Amino acid sequence: MLNDEICKLRDKLNKSIEEGEDYNIILKISVELDKLIEKVYNS
C-alpha cells in the first residue's frame, strides 16, 4: 500500500519538475515523498 502511494507521489513530483512548477510546490511534494519513504524503512 505504501509502495503504491510512493509511486504516485514520485510521478507527481516528476511531473511537477518537468512542467517547471513553483519551487515551493516541488519542495512540498518532495518532503511528503521523503516521509512516506521513511515510513517504509522504519516498518
Side-chain angles (χ1 to χ4, degrees):
M1 186 162 79
L2 278 177
N3 286 334
D4 292 337
E5 290 180 51
I6 289 171
C7 287
K8 288 178 186 176
L9 206 50
R10 186 175 50 218
D11 290 341
K12 183 177 179 180
L13 177 61
N14 288 337
K15 184 178 178 185
S16 295
I17 293 169
E18 289 172 2
E19 293 178 354
E21 285 204 45
D22 184 73
Y23 177 75
N24 290 320
I25 294 171
I26 293 171
L27 180 60
K28 181 181 175 195
I29 296 169
S30 180
V31 169
E32 289 177 38
L33 181 57
D34 288 345
K35 288 179 182 178
L36 284 179
I37 292 170
E38 182 181 10
K39 284 183 182 180
V40 169
Y41 282 107
N42 288 331
S43 10

